[in-house]
């Protein structure tokens, strides 16, 4: 499965989401992660997300069972990853 | 084509991106838009994005020619859209 995970969460909750998602996916934008996961790993990730999410948070996960079916185009400069250092 | 557009831009540039992307796609998270576009409309959108983008900005567009191949799972509360009123 190819996964694109985006989240819109309270800023105080950001570090928790970043730490969790980094264990499974690549951090490509401030609140966007992507990567290949097995269905089992995907299930585990969603369970962990459900544990940390609060009423103020929203996570959207787009996925395809066939990674070749999702294409990507980037415009502008891919961002400076050091900006995402979790203190 | 099914499109998921995410952006990571300087806050002063946000209104420009929001206004443009709203003309083509649905605003589903702070910096995430999605929806169905024809290839011609997609081309037009990317041209317009290239015009407004600066060196500090990054746009990632994920797309599939077969909208059935992209699934979506949401966790948490889908966000209050009024938060995205552009002043």
């Amino acid at each position: 499965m190819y996964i694109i995970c985006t989240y819109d969460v309270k800023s105080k909750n950001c570090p928790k989401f970043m730490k969790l998602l980094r264990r499974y996916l690549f951090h490509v934008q401030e609140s966007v992660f992507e990567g290949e996961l097995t269905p089992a790993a995907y299930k585990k990730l969603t369970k962990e997300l459900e544990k940390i999410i609060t009423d103020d948070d929203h996570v959207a996960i787009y996925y395809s069972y066939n990674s070749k079916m999702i294409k990507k185009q980037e415009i502008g400069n891919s961002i400076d990853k050091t900006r995402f250092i979790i203190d």
Side-chain angles (χ1 to χ4, degrees), chain A residues 49-84:
Chain A
L49 283 167
E50 279 155 7
K51 275 190 210 143
I52 65 169
I53 209 153
T54 70
D55 286 348
D56 302 318
D57 303 328
H58 179 245
V59 173
I61 305 171
Y62 303 90
Y63 61 92
S64 179
Y65 289 106
N66 178 347
S67 48
K68 290 195 191 70
M69 294 305 288
I70 295 187
K71 314 248 179 259
K72 180 178 182 180
Q73 177 179 351
E74 296 187 69
I75 303 174
N77 296 320
S78 57
I79 25 109
D80 161 18
K81 298 283 176 353
T82 54
R83 267 179 46 204
F84 304 137

Side-chain angles (χ1 to χ4, degrees), chain A residues 25-38:
Chain A
L25 300 167
F26 293 102
H27 197 179
V28 291
Q29 264 185 9
E30 192 91 22
S31 56
V32 181
F33 288 72
E34 69 176 75
E36 190 86 38
L37 286 183
T38 64

Side-chain angles (χ1 to χ4, degrees), chain A residues 7 9-20 86-87:
Chain A
Y7 61 79
V9 304
K10 286 276 169 197
S11 32
K12 66 177 171 56
N13 297 340
C14 261
K16 267 188 295 185
F17 283 87
M18 278 193 194
K19 272 183 192 160
L20 169 58
I86 304 172
D87 313 335

